[in-house]
Amino acid sequence: MMVYEVVPATEIDYGATGVKEVLQNVACILATTAYEQPMFREAFWQPDIDININVARMRAIPMIIDTIEKYEPRVHVAAVDFIANEQELDGILTPKVQVTVDETTL
């Protein structure tokens, strides 16, 4: 199986199909924080606020894995990391995940 790296979505391809669609779904989940989707409020991950950045990372990892595997069951999360950038100093976590896609379900 091929491993894909996914970061939060910045744009949407409305015609995506197959693996590209699945990866886009994961990217949308990563870009969605708590209560952002009016009709689908459970599909999100929620970063902790006002705690040590390292603790926030460790708490976010299982939440990200559970959310992705629940709402996009065609993938398995192999790893979760966070993009190191200067915004992290401001407390903004930007996740990136490595996933494998079960192509037999496409």
Side-chain angles (χ1 to χ4, degrees), residues 5-6 57 61 64 79-84 94-98:
E5 187 168 281
V6 183
R57 282 180 183 177
I61 289 171
I64 290 169
V80 177
D81 199 2
F82 295 90
I83 298 170
T94 305
K96 66 178 176 180
V97 297
Q98 292 182 351

Side-chain angles (χ1 to χ4, degrees), residues 17-67:
T17 59
V19 172
K20 188 173 181 181
E21 173 199 5
V22 173
L23 297 177
Q24 181 171 276
N25 291 345
V26 172
C28 286
I29 291 169
L30 292 177
T32 305
T33 56
Y35 309 112
E36 244 183 338
Q37 295 295 322
M39 302 301 287
F40 197 42
R41 297 208 182 265
E42 298 86 27
F44 65 84
W45 71 283
Q46 181 175 1
D48 285 316
I49 298 173
D50 293 334
I51 63 171
N52 178 287
I53 194 77
N54 294 321
V55 173
R57 282 180 183 177
M58 292 303 110
R59 288 184 179 175
I61 289 171
M63 187 182 310
I64 290 169
I65 293 169
D66 290 346
T67 302

Side-chain angles (χ1 to χ4, degrees), residues 73-85:
R74 297 173 288 184
V75 302
H76 171 72
V77 178
V80 177
D81 199 2
F82 295 90
I83 298 170
N85 58 38

Side-chain angles (χ1 to χ4, degrees), residues 4-21:
Y4 301 92
E5 187 168 281
V6 183
V7 297
T10 56
E11 57 184 60
I12 297 174
D13 175 4
Y14 292 99
T17 59
V19 172
K20 188 173 181 181
E21 173 199 5

